[in-house]
C-alpha cells in the first residue's frame, strides 16, 4: 500500500471498493491492528494504536465473508457468541440470548451447531458474536458476498438497523457496488495499493472524479 489515508467518523460507514488485489483486505488488517504498517500512524479514538493490541480487545471486531471462518464447528452457537466475552473475562449472563434476538434469531439457536444453520443464519450469528462486546468499530469484509441476493438484503438491513441502535463505526469492504451504496455514508476506491478517490456516496455514484471509479460504475 502507498500513501493510504482513511478516516471513519463515529457512527459512520465507510465503503471500501476496488478489484481483487487492490489492497482492501490489507487495509482492513491494518485498521484492526492485525498488521502493522511499515510507515505512518494508525489511530483509534483519536489516539495512536497501543503497542499491545489486547488493550483494544473488544472495542473492534470483524465480520468475514464466510461465517465458518469465525465459527468453530465443534462449538454450539451460544458458546461461539459468548467466546469474545470469555476471552475478556466478562460474564456472558443474558448477553448471548439478547444478542441472538437482536440479530433476528430465537434463543433456542444457542443450542445449535453451525452446520445446522443456513448461510444467512450463520452470518447473523457472526454479527451477534462481533457485537456482543459492544465494539466501537467493526470491519465487514465481503460480509454478504457469499449469500443469496434475498438474504443479502436482509443482512444489509440488519447491519443498518444495528448500527443505528449501537452507534458503531464500520468499514464495509465489498465488490458489490450496489451493497456498498445501500449501507455506506462515504466511499473510498482502491487501486494497486492506493486510494484514488474518496467521496460521499451520492457524489461517487452520480459524479465520480477518477477514471477508475467511472470504470467500476460502468461495469455495474
Amino acid at each position: 500500500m502507498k500513501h493510504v489515508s482513511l478516516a471513519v467518523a463515529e457512527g459512520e460507514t465507510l465503503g471500501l471498493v476496488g478489484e481483487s488485489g487492490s489492497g482492501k483486505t490489507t487495509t482492513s488488517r491494518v485498521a484492526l491492528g492485525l498488521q502493522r504498517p511499515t510507515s505512518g500512524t494508525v489511530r483509534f479514538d483519536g489516539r495512536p494504536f497501543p503497542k499491545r493490541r489486547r488493550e483494544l480487545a473488544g472495542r473492534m471486531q470483524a465480520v468475514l465473508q464466510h461465517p465458518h471462518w469465525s465459527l468453530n464447528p465443534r462449538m454450539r452457537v451460544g458458546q461461539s457468541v459468548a467466546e469474545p466475552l470469555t476471552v475478556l473475562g466478562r460474564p456472558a449472563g443474558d448477553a448471548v440470548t439478547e444478542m441472538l434476538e437482536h440479530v433476528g434469531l430465537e434463543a433456542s439457536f444457542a443450542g445449535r451447531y453451525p452446520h445446522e444453520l443456513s448461510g444467512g443464519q450463520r452470518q447473523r450469528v457472526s454479527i451477534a458474536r462481533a457485537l456482543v462486546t459492544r465494539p466501537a468499530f467493526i470491519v465487514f469484509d465481503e460480509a454478504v458476498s457469499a449469500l443469496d441476493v434475498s438474504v443479502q438484503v436482509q443482512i444489509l438491513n440488519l447491519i443498518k438497523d444495528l448500527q443505528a441502535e449501537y452507534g458503531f463505526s464500520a468499514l464495509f469492504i465489498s465488490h458489490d457496488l450496489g451493497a456498498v451504496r445501500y449501507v455506506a455514508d462515504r466511499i473510498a476506491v482502491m487501486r494497486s495499493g492506493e486510494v484514488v478517490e474518496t467521496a460521499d456516496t451520492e457524489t461517487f455514484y452520480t459524479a465520480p472524479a477518477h477514471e477508475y471509479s467511472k470504470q467500476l460504475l460502468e461495469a455495474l
Side-chain angles (χ1 to χ4, degrees), residues 96-126:
V96 172
T97 299
E98 292 174 359
M99 196 51 64
L100 287 175
E101 291 175 348
H102 271 72
V103 299
L105 298 175
E106 297 177 358
S108 60
F109 276 79
R112 301 187 188 184
Y113 287 96
H115 73 269
E116 298 177 300
L117 310 180
S118 67
Q121 289 170 339
R122 284 195 292 269
Q123 198 61 298
R124 287 174 185 269
V125 172
S126 294

Side-chain angles (χ1 to χ4, degrees), residues 62-78 80-81 99-100 103-106 109 112-131 140 143-144 146-148 151 154-155 158:
V63 177
L64 306 177
Q65 178 177 0
H66 298 289
H68 60 258
W69 289 348
S70 56
L71 300 180
N72 188 329
R74 297 183 179 181
M75 293 176 66
R76 296 182 188 273
V77 164
S80 289
V81 174
M99 196 51 64
L100 287 175
V103 299
L105 298 175
E106 297 177 358
F109 276 79
R112 301 187 188 184
Y113 287 96
H115 73 269
E116 298 177 300
L117 310 180
S118 67
Q121 289 170 339
R122 284 195 292 269
Q123 198 61 298
R124 287 174 185 269
V125 172
S126 294
I127 293 172
R129 175 185 164 90
L131 274 174
F140 295 91
V144 298
L147 305 174
D148 293 338
V151 181
Q154 295 173 18
I155 298 300
L158 176 64

Side-chain angles (χ1 to χ4, degrees), residues 13 152-161 163 172 176-185 187 201 205:
T13 295
Q152 286 183 15
V153 174
Q154 295 173 18
I155 298 300
L156 291 173
N157 282 326
L158 176 64
I159 291 171
K160 291 184 70 172
D161 290 344
Q163 186 176 35
F172 189 88
D176 186 342
L177 292 180
V180 173
R181 184 175 193 172
Y182 190 67
V183 299
D185 300 296
I187 293 175
T201 300
Y205 282 92

